[in-house]
């Protein structure tokens, strides 16, 4: 039994609960969880997931700052819809990240799942940036990531993490509707 995976799963549940509530404190759990999962994913040979967790650590610091100071000092950043002008650049970031990560995994690692690992990692890069901007549509991105990750982690014999991501997918659906109600 991998105790780090279980601890990471528990922190992940706290993270999800805080994200669902649109609480700025999600970013604290967002710093702890990826630090734990760096070791879990490395041990499982999910190298792109190791890399994305470094990104998650940095993005959590940025997200906390953005949510706290993204507006005037007296106001927190509101939940909004993503402007149409953001879709094309984010699609480009996803595509470039996806193919670059896949190439790295195929040519330089022993990854047995380079395409799926690349897909979830590239989409997570976009999703985390959208979350930091407090865009409602970030939930749709996370649903896609979570569903694919659930299957991938069961395949890689990480049952606690796979279950966590299955739960993430369900909660992300509810989170979308909750954030929609919270929008100004």
């Amino acid at each position: 039994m991998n105790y780090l995976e279980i601890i990471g799963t528990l922190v992940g549940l706290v993270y999800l609960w805080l994200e669902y509530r649109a609480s700025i404190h999600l970013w604290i759990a967002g710093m702890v969880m990826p630090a734990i999962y760096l070791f879990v994913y490395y041990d499982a040979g999910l190298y792109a997931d190791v890399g994305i967790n470094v990104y998650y650590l940095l993005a959590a610091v940025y997200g906390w700052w953005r949510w706290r100071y993204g507006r005037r000092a007296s106001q927190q950043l509101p939940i909004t819809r993503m402007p149409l002008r953001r879709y094309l650049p984010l699609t480009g970031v996803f595509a470039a990240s996806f193919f670059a990560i896949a190439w790295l995994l195929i040519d330089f690692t022993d990854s047995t799942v380079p395409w799926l690992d690349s897909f979830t990692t590239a989409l997570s890069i976009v999703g985390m940036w959208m979350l930091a901007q407090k865009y409602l549509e970030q939930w749709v991105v996370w649903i896609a990531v979570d569903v694919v990750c659930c299957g991938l982690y069961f395949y890689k014999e990480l049952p606690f993490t796979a279950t966590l991501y299955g739960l993430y997918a369900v909660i992300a659906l509810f989170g979308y509707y909750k954030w929609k109600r919270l929008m100004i």
Side-chain angles (χ1 to χ4, degrees), residues 85-163:
R85 71 180 186 280
R86 300 274 190 217
Y87 281 90
L88 186 59
L90 285 179
T91 300
V93 168
F94 166 75
S97 299
F98 174 70
F99 289 112
I101 294 166
W103 171 71
L104 289 169
L105 291 176
I106 290 167
D107 284 0
F108 298 105
T109 74
D110 60 352
S111 176
T112 58
V113 288
W115 294 106
L116 285 177
D117 203 4
S118 299
F119 175 81
T120 59
T121 301
L123 201 53
S124 294
I125 289 168
V126 170
M128 185 60 86
W129 183 84
M130 291 171 68
L131 173 59
Q133 306 311 310
K134 234 175 181 177
Y135 291 144
L136 173 67
E137 294 82 2
Q138 60 94 17
W139 287 107
V140 176
V141 171
W142 290 120
I143 291 168
V145 169
D146 297 339
V147 167
V148 174
C149 281
C150 181
L152 177 61
Y153 297 151
F154 270 122
Y155 175 77
K156 293 301 278 186
E157 298 178 1
L158 297 170
F160 295 104
T161 305
T163 302

Side-chain angles (χ1 to χ4, degrees), residues 27-38:
W27 298 110
I28 295 168
M31 292 176 209
V32 173
M33 187 174 72
I36 293 168
Y37 271 103
L38 286 170

Side-chain angles (χ1 to χ4, degrees), residues 3 10 19 25 40 42 48 53 72 75 77 84 93 108 123 150-151 153 158 162-163 166 183:
Y3 292 104
L10 294 174
E19 182 180 4
H25 297 102
V40 172
Y42 182 80
N53 277 277
R72 283 174 259 140
Q75 293 181 332
L77 186 68
L84 290 176
V93 168
F108 298 105
L123 201 53
C150 181
Y153 297 151
L158 297 170
T163 302
M183 284 176 55

Side-chain angles (χ1 to χ4, degrees), residues 6-26:
I6 294 169
I7 293 167
T9 300
L10 294 174
V11 174
L13 290 170
V14 171
Y15 174 89
L16 184 60
W17 177 69
L18 293 169
E19 182 180 4
Y20 176 79
R21 293 183 56 229
S23 169
I24 194 169
H25 297 102
L26 78 92

